[in-house]
Amino acid sequence: MMLEIPYELENFVGGKLVKPLSGKFIDNINPATGELLNHVADSDEQDVAMAVKVATAAFADWSVTPVSKRFEILNRIADSIDKNVDALALAETTDNGKPLSLSKRIDIPRASANFRFFATGIMHFASESHQMEDKAINYTLRQPLGVVACISPWNLPLYLFTWKIAPALAAGNCIIAKPSEVSPVTAYLLSQLCTQAGLPAGVLNIIQGTGNNTGEAMINHPGIKAISFTGSTRAGARIASVAAPRFKKISLELGGKNPNLIFADANWEKMMRTTIQSSFSNQGQICLCGSRILIHESVYDSFKEEFVKRAKQLVVGDPLEPNTKQGAIVSKVHFEKVLRCIDTARKAGGKILCGGKAVKLEGRCANGFFIEPTVIEGLGPDCETNTEEIFGPVVTLQKFSSEEEAIQLANACDYGLAATIWTQDISCAHRVASKIEAGIIWVNCWLLRDLRTPFGGMKNSGLGREGGWEALRFFTESKNVCVEI
């Protein structure tokens, strides 16, 4: 099947592509060139209402489709993704600005892995029974919720879009899904693959549009029973304020300001190589990137010298070129925000050790949105640069003198998504991991993910957990049945 990207990206409702009822579209820009890529449906409450109506009708059959059949369909979707990895990767890079090598190696393979994992998971998803001696038997039913909303971000478009919809589909729900209007293309292409794989019409409905229009209509619709959202803390707070009074289930994976703790006994080469990766992968536009690097004072100067040297060696360039390590920032708006954040750090007294400026390329990327990998030192833990999410190729360096101080610095912000600890002392690693306020802790590694484990943050980094059984439990309702013997 040849995947086609039209000039106008329409909504996918009831198994068909349909224009937004208002007839309105918004521009979608290629961030590497600054040129118009295509137009995206600017959907509103009318489009959402139509999709909910269609999904509600489809739920009657999909909710009782045998799990073995759901398993087959989800695996066929995964097969289709694998067969089209090159086309999907190119579409992702063109739409998002990330290096093509990253799209091929990480984003698209993870999308198919998400479908395979939850296709298998639903086959083994079990409930409990409890016998009350000779009086009664209690058993638990876990039933699909109905119509649910899945709202995904722009940084890992297909990767995170499928992370949400795969468990919802596996559990027997029908979905209203919204990709980011900044990177909507691969979600559009997924609709073609789902149709080819035999997913029944109306089970997955993809509504394009902005958060203020489309997203707001989704979270307010009374027919939507649950909302799974990944994005900013500000948007998450808005969703919670709307959903809580209506008792909708919500899962919120929000921002991060993740600490990377480097002790003196760290495996130096592995730590340095991985820290470059955890700082600047996807131009720092991953919620799990370590943007606050905390280094023991005895190795601070050595670390700084080597880290800055390696950061300067990262090639900023055309995302389609094989040697490019840093692609484009996702949009002009975000490009300008990151530069403002660097300027804020400079005005606060931060010393720019490398980077700090926009990059002007030649050729087809002359008007693209590129920023140098930036390393800053000399700022305290309470400044804006170290407490607010930048979400770009910007990291700060701070030193610590003791284990206690390292923990204090790690917890010195309102976010709590992830942290990385580098030490050969396993006792130290366990102690520090237990005291850091974050939902995900890596020790001597980064972004090593087992899809069976719960995923989510603490504090302002979110509410609830995704992944593994947690995701299937979120997308189902538990019901206890007591039968007297």
Side-chain angles (χ1 to χ4, degrees):
M1 176 183 180
M2 181 71 70
L3 294 177
E4 298 180 0
I5 305 174
Y7 193 60
E8 290 185 343
L9 301 187
E10 298 176 335
N11 294 325
F12 180 68
V13 179
K16 300 177 180 179
L17 294 170
V18 296
K19 293 183 182 296
L21 294 175
S22 68
K24 295 179 181 178
F25 287 81
I26 52 180
D27 293 345
N28 183 32
I29 303 298
N30 180 340
T33 65
E35 297 173 350
L36 180 67
L37 182 61
N38 45 40
H39 294 290
V40 185
D42 186 10
S43 307
D44 59 23
E45 66 274 4
Q46 298 179 80
D47 301 289
V48 171
M50 179 175 67
V52 172
K53 183 178 180 180
V54 168
T56 302
F59 178 71
D61 288 338
W62 182 247
S63 61
V64 295
T65 297
V67 293
S68 58
K69 182 66 173 177
R70 287 184 237 154
F71 167 86
E72 293 173 2
I73 293 173
L74 266 62
N75 266 308
R76 286 201 296 268
I77 296 172
D79 289 341
S80 293
I81 292 173
D82 289 339
K83 290 175 183 175
N84 290 278
V85 63
D86 289 339
L88 289 167
L90 179 59
E92 199 78 290
T93 287
T94 304
D95 197 25
N96 176 272
K98 67 180 64 192
L100 181 59
S101 58
L102 187 66
S103 294
K104 283 186 177 181
R105 189 178 75 253
I106 302 294
D107 290 62
I108 309 307
R110 172 59 188 274
S112 66
N114 289 336
F115 277 107
R116 293 195 195 283
F117 177 82
F118 287 108
T120 303
I122 198 62
M123 296 286 286
H124 301 276
F125 190 47
S127 57
E128 306 83 22
S129 66
H130 304 276
Q131 184 174 354
M132 299 172 66
E133 292 78 38
D134 60 349
K135 298 180 181 63
I137 294 176
N138 289 272
Y139 62 90
T140 302
L141 295 176
R142 290 203 171 92
Q143 300 172 314
L145 299 171
V147 179
V148 300
C150 296
I151 304 174
S152 62
W154 49 254
N155 60 320
L156 303 170
L158 193 62
Y159 177 134
L160 290 178
F161 193 69
T162 56
W163 177 239
K164 294 184 176 299
I165 67 174
L169 290 173
N173 298 283
C174 292
I175 304 172
I176 313 300
K178 191 192 92 64
S180 169
E181 71 277 14
V182 178
S183 53
V185 173
T186 48
Y188 174 89
L189 295 176
L190 182 66
S191 69
Q192 299 176 29
L193 300 182
C194 288
T195 299
Q196 181 189 29
L199 186 69
V203 172
L204 172 63
N205 304 277
I206 301 172
I207 305 297
Q208 305 280 2
T210 65
N212 289 339
N213 265 358
T214 316
E216 187 73 15
M218 290 169 67
I219 66 175
N220 275 285
H221 197 288
I224 290 178
K225 307 301 182 185
I227 303 162
S228 176
F229 170 81
T230 296
S232 71
T233 297
R234 176 192 56 77
R238 171 61 186 167
I239 291 170
S241 72
V242 172
R246 301 177 186 183
F247 306 105
K248 294 176 184 278
K249 293 182 77 172
I250 56 173
S251 175
L252 305 173
E253 196 272 282
L254 309 177
K257 193 69 180 175
N258 309 309
N260 185 355
L261 288 69
I262 298 166
F263 288 87
D265 65 342
N267 179 324
W268 191 259
E269 176 55 32
K270 182 182 179 184
M271 174 275 295
M272 189 63 66
R273 183 177 65 251
T274 308
T275 301
I276 285 289
Q277 180 187 7
S278 66
S279 299
F280 301 117
S281 286
N282 202 39
Q283 299 73 251
Q285 298 169 141
I286 301 176
C287 58
L288 299 167
C289 280
S291 55
R292 294 182 296 136
I293 306 178
L294 314 177
I295 310 111
H296 191 271
E297 60 183 6
S298 65
V299 294
Y300 181 87
D301 290 337
S302 299
F303 175 89
K304 178 173 71 172
E305 180 181 359
E306 180 67 18
F307 185 74
V308 169
K309 176 184 174 182
R310 296 194 187 200
K312 289 180 177 178
Q313 293 172 350
L314 293 173
V315 176
V316 180
D318 186 336
L320 299 182
E321 294 297 326
N323 65 332
T324 292
K325 300 300 181 184
Q326 294 283 284
I329 303 300
V330 73
S331 69
K332 183 178 181 182
V333 170
H334 194 60
F335 168 80
E336 292 172 346
K337 178 213 166 179
V338 174
L339 289 177
R340 284 197 305 272
C341 289
I342 294 171
D343 190 51
T344 296
R346 188 182 288 110
K347 290 177 179 176
K351 181 179 179 182
I352 310 297
L353 299 176
C354 69
K357 301 186 295 295
V359 178
K360 186 71 172 177
L361 299 179
E362 297 180 352
R364 83 177 193 102
C365 295
N367 296 316
F369 314 128
F370 298 87
I371 295 177
E372 297 173 321
T374 301
V375 183
I376 305 170
E377 72 169 349
L379 295 172
D382 299 326
C383 72
E384 181 178 334
T385 304
N386 278 324
T387 57
E388 296 297 326
E389 187 177 41
I390 297 174
F391 217 59
V394 182
V395 298
T396 62
L397 309 184
Q398 300 176 74
K399 66 177 67 174
F400 64 86
S401 59
S402 67
E403 186 178 307
E404 292 72 22
E405 186 181 12
I407 294 168
Q408 183 180 16
L409 288 171
N411 293 334
C413 78
D414 292 331
Y415 292 101
L417 183 56
T420 304
I421 302 167
W422 290 95
T423 178
Q424 297 301 303
D425 184 341
I426 192 65
S427 296
C428 171
H430 282 302
R431 286 194 305 270
V432 174
S434 69
K435 294 177 181 178
I436 291 181
E437 297 165 350
I440 305 145
I441 310 288
W442 283 291
V443 177
N444 299 329
C445 60
W446 177 72
L447 212 59
L448 185 59
R449 290 280 294 121
D450 184 330
L451 300 189
R452 295 171 295 182
T453 60
F455 180 92
M458 300 178 179
K459 302 191 288 189
N460 285 1
S461 288
L463 178 69
R465 292 293 181 269
E466 298 181 349
W469 300 134
E470 302 283 343
L472 293 175
R473 290 191 185 105
F474 174 76
F475 285 115
T476 54
E477 193 76 81
S478 296
K479 179 190 294 181
N480 183 70
V481 179
C482 179
V483 180
E484 188 175 24
I485 297 175

